[in-house]
Amino acid sequence: MAVKSPLKWVGSKARLMPQLLPHLPKGKRLVEPFAGSCSVMLNAEYDEYLVADVNPDLIAFYEAVAADADALISRARHLFETFNSADGYYDSRHAFNHDDDPDWRPALFLYLNRHCFNGLCRYNKSGGFNAPYGKYKRPYFPEAEIKAFAEKARRATFICAGYSATLDMVRAGDVVYCDPPYLTDSENFTAYHSSGFDHIDHGRLSRRLKKLAAKGVPVVASNADLDAVHYLYAGFESVKISAPRSVGAAAASQKVAAELILKSPLFVGANEAGE
């Protein structure tokens, strides 16, 4: 069983860890420019981790867990026990969008994540969290997951930064794993923060990763199994996998989607974890 994140997250790699881990090369430090749920950090074994994301609320939550997990648990538990209703949710969402209290904001982020519809982290163009209420009878309180995260975070550095600035920090001995919002053939949802991530960003990211690979840095990336992705990562080995997808609340809505694990050519067939 994979170690689970405290957060629900669209595109989380938790259920894909058995397929992904064998393709992560050995190294001293894992660099992740797209933090997401941090499932890869939680399940991979490296001496150090550099975890980045452009979403300041996400990074602030992880930093709060790392700094004082017990304090965050206490505040979040109060919110879970007091505001488990539609009115409580929308009042809390309003407070989150209009109050910058550094002590309560990470706890509110967890509360919203666990009470909103499908754990959707969505913002409007003004940067306000706008995911609707999820109508759950009793949302799960992830105390055990928070404590496990705090333990692993002792080896991690969290930064709020875009992928370009994060990749500038790569050094000898690092392994880079990139899990960006996936490329789509349509205008499907890819905005995990107000800045979004479009086709141009995907092109720029693939060029940066190719440059790192040319310097001998082991690079692994995940993306959708699309012709455009194969084109962008020409020269990388592509491993096709089937990923479970939840597209609705009903069990019958469980689907599978084709994804790619893309591996820089220097490390194809060698130096992989477990060899």
Side-chain angles (χ1 to χ4, degrees):
M1 293 291 290
V3 179
K4 294 183 178 180
S5 170
L7 299 174
K8 298 170 68 175
W9 204 258
V10 175
S12 171
K13 290 294 176 286
R15 289 186 286 182
L16 288 179
M17 292 315 303
Q19 297 181 75
L20 178 60
L21 283 176
H23 298 288
L24 293 178
K26 294 178 181 178
K28 181 175 177 58
R29 184 175 71 161
L30 179 67
V31 177
E32 288 194 77
F34 302 91
S37 68
C38 273
S39 291
V40 177
M41 182 201 82
L42 286 167
N43 288 277
E45 280 301 324
Y46 292 87
D47 293 339
E48 301 174 50
Y49 304 87
L50 175 61
V51 180
D53 202 278
V54 73
N55 186 334
D57 298 322
L58 181 65
I59 293 301
F61 170 75
Y62 290 146
E63 289 179 329
V65 175
D68 193 340
D70 289 337
L72 186 139
I73 288 170
S74 177
R75 294 187 180 99
R77 188 185 298 281
H78 169 75
L79 295 172
F80 274 62
E81 292 176 350
T82 308
F83 300 107
N84 187 23
S85 66
D87 288 343
Y89 175 81
Y90 288 111
D91 286 346
S92 298
R93 193 180 76 174
H94 182 271
F96 181 79
N97 287 333
H98 295 88
D99 188 348
D100 291 329
D101 187 328
D103 290 330
W104 279 95
R105 192 170 176 83
L108 277 166
F109 184 73
L110 176 64
Y111 165 87
L112 293 175
N113 173 264
R114 287 282 173 174
H115 287 75
C116 73
F117 178 74
N118 278 359
L120 186 63
C121 186
R122 190 182 70 184
Y123 296 80
N124 59 30
K125 292 182 179 179
S126 300
F129 191 93
N130 69 350
Y133 180 52
K135 301 180 182 179
Y136 303 113
K137 290 184 179 180
R138 189 177 181 183
Y140 175 69
F141 185 70
E143 180 174 356
E145 289 80 359
I146 293 171
K147 290 181 177 178
F149 189 99
E151 181 68 24
K152 196 64 175 284
R154 293 179 180 178
R155 289 183 265 163
T157 298
F158 301 97
I159 60 170
C160 184
Y163 70 86
S164 183
T166 306
L167 294 176
D168 284 341
M169 301 173 69
V170 171
R171 65 194 187 206
D174 285 348
V175 171
V176 174
Y177 173 68
C178 280
D179 183 30
Y182 281 9
L183 188 66
T184 64
D185 283 328
S186 63
E187 296 301 320
N188 292 337
F189 172 75
T190 58
Y192 300 100
H193 195 250
S194 54
S195 58
F197 202 85
D198 59 22
H199 285 58
I200 295 175
D201 290 308
H202 278 282
R204 290 172 176 165
L205 173 62
S206 67
R207 289 192 292 273
R208 285 298 305 273
L209 295 181
K210 285 182 176 180
K211 289 180 180 179
L212 285 174
K215 295 178 180 179
V217 176
V219 175
V220 179
S222 294
N223 217 310
D225 185 10
L226 299 175
D227 288 343
V229 174
H230 285 277
Y231 172 79
L232 289 173
Y233 289 89
F236 276 48
E237 181 191 11
S238 58
V239 179
K240 294 187 179 184
I241 61 172
S242 295
R245 286 286 179 270
S246 299
V247 295
S253 65
Q254 299 292 316
K255 307 287 185 180
V256 294
E259 292 190 7
L260 297 175
I261 298 174
L262 302 145
K263 303 161 62 178
S264 56
L266 180 63
F267 284 81
V268 172
N271 295 327
E272 293 175 351
E275 291 190 6

